[in-house]
Amino acid sequence: AENNDSAEARAHKEAQAAAEGKNRMHYEGLGDAWAVLTGQNPAAIMDQIVSTVLHEGGTRPSWQWKRGSTDHILMAWPQDQPLRASVLVTGEEGEKLTPVSAAPLLDGLPNDLMVDGVHPWENGMGANVAVSMIEGKNPMWFFDPLYGRDRTDLTPGVTHTFLIAGLAFAIRKALLDQMTITQGPQYEAYAEQWLEANPGKGRLDVPPLQVDVSDRHMIMPGRNFCEYQMRAVIEEVQDCQLEKMPVKALYLTFPFENRQPMRLVIYASKMVLGDLEPEAGQAIDAYIWLQGRIIDIDEGPQQ
């Protein structure tokens, strides 16, 4: 039997690992993403999604590539929205093309990021990609639906411009404007100052430190790779739609000390928003799934 010390030490270790994102899984499924965008059980409607995309969707030169003699074409629909349903079709040159995978396709904002690593999905149709935000820190992960096209360029240490977007699995108004801190270096420095300013008082008299987090921007690892808990202030809101589901596009900026800020658009469907009416200047807490791809370089008109 374990004594309390080791159980406590293990709990502390697990909390630390969670904070560093060490226990995350590479979950290889898009069910949650389809569910929040359609409001329905994805398995029941995938056939309908695929046939709509194949009949009504379009493609772009930059969404087509060849591997050996096999053609790959990503079709997406609707053509006039930043958030689309996409289907990847493949086939031998000149032969009939067959659908092999379907993924929500999110148009993101350009960010220059250095590749850190790649975890290809077993089905070979997508990958989780890690990029380094700050040297020496944990990388940030996102799902790349165009991995088949991007993979030859996803070399660790190489910097690309990626289009990055998030899909909200949960969202609410940020609840706390203040955090209470009772230990750690920040608290120690504050306690020392407080005791100097209050002669005759002891350690037990020092009140907790209240830190204003109302304008803080935080992004922390979630349960799985590519999933994050975040808090940010909305800068701009735009309306879009995926078939019958109204979606709000929320524009956010995450500042960093020694690099350009990260710009992110988060798509939040009516199903996830419920009664929340997001507006510029509002602070939100959200649980998001990140998606990205190397920026599309197109010649000719876009579909």
Side-chain angles (χ1 to χ4, degrees), residues 32 41 58 62 69 72 127 130 152 156 161 164-165 175 230 259:
D32 290 349
N41 171 1
S62 66
S69 62
H72 296 71
T152 47
T161 303
I164 304 284
L175 296 181
M230 51 145 277
R259 58 157 289 138

Side-chain angles (χ1 to χ4, degrees), residues 37 56-58 60 63 75-86 103-108 163 165 238-249 251 265 267-268 291 293 296 302-303:
L37 286 173
E56 299 178 33
R60 297 178 180 175
W63 295 352
M75 309 275 297
W77 171 90
Q79 297 180 27
D80 60 348
Q81 296 289 325
L83 168 74
R84 304 175 178 92
S86 77
L105 187 69
L106 316 178
D107 272 0
L163 298 172
Q238 287 181 1
D239 287 300
C240 48
Q241 186 121 356
L242 185 60
E243 203 179 21
K244 296 177 189 135
M245 180 68 74
V247 178
K248 300 273 187 194
Y251 290 83
V265 54
Y267 295 99
Q291 184 183 112
R293 62 184 190 263
D296 298 334
Q302 293 195 345
Q303 292 291 309

Side-chain angles (χ1 to χ4, degrees), residues 208-265:
L209 170 61
Q210 299 289 341
V211 178
D212 180 17
V213 292
S214 54
D215 62 346
R216 280 288 175 88
H217 292 67
M218 293 182 271
I219 186 157
M220 296 166 291
R223 288 184 299 271
N224 298 313
F225 284 97
C226 307
E227 294 176 10
Y228 289 88
Q229 297 174 51
M230 51 145 277
R231 159 185 289 232
V233 176
I234 300 171
E235 293 174 358
E236 187 191 337
V237 180
Q238 287 181 1
D239 287 300
C240 48
Q241 186 121 356
L242 185 60
E243 203 179 21
K244 296 177 189 135
M245 180 68 74
V247 178
K248 300 273 187 194
L250 314 176
Y251 290 83
L252 316 170
T253 301
F254 288 89
F256 286 89
E257 271 176 26
N258 300 320
R259 58 157 289 138
Q260 289 292 309
M262 179 172 74
R263 294 182 63 240
L264 202 55
V265 54

Side-chain angles (χ1 to χ4, degrees), residues 162-203:
F162 288 94
L163 298 172
I164 304 284
L167 181 63
F169 287 169
I171 191 167
R172 64 179 182 202
K173 273 187 191 169
L175 296 181
L176 296 172
D177 283 341
Q178 288 205 319
M179 249 163 80
T180 302
I181 297 177
T182 54
Q183 57 188 26
Q186 205 177 349
Y187 177 77
E188 292 304 326
Y190 150 80
E192 216 169 283
Q193 286 178 338
W194 190 90
L195 289 168
E196 269 177 38
N198 295 273
K201 297 281 187 184
R203 274 297 295 216

Side-chain angles (χ1 to χ4, degrees), residues 28-156:
E28 300 188 10
L30 299 169
D32 290 349
W34 283 120
V36 299
L37 286 173
T38 61
Q40 298 180 60
N41 171 1
I45 52 165
M46 280 325 290
D47 287 352
Q48 189 189 331
I49 289 172
V50 169
S51 91
T52 302
V53 173
L54 295 184
H55 283 106
E56 299 178 33
T59 184
R60 297 178 180 175
S62 66
W63 295 352
Q64 304 170 21
W65 66 96
K66 232 183 184 51
R67 280 272 171 273
S69 62
T70 307
D71 285 322
H72 296 71
I73 297 175
L74 190 83
M75 309 275 297
W77 171 90
Q79 297 180 27
D80 60 348
Q81 296 289 325
L83 168 74
R84 304 175 178 92
S86 77
V87 175
L88 180 63
V89 293
T90 67
E92 289 303 297
E93 207 173 332
E95 303 282 315
K96 188 173 185 296
L97 296 169
T98 313
V100 289
S101 69
L105 187 69
L106 316 178
D107 272 0
L109 298 178
N111 289 276
D112 291 342
L113 302 164
M114 186 166 84
V115 179
D116 184 90
V118 178
H119 172 88
W121 282 24
E122 264 181 43
N123 64 12
M125 298 307 162
N128 295 344
V129 175
V131 289
S132 164
M133 299 301 294
I134 299 171
E135 213 176 319
K137 299 277 187 196
N138 290 323
M140 183 181 84
W141 288 85
F142 56 81
F143 171 72
D144 182 355
L146 279 158
Y147 168 65
R149 177 198 73 179
D150 291 347
R151 71 180 189 186
T152 47
D153 295 320
L154 291 172
T155 308

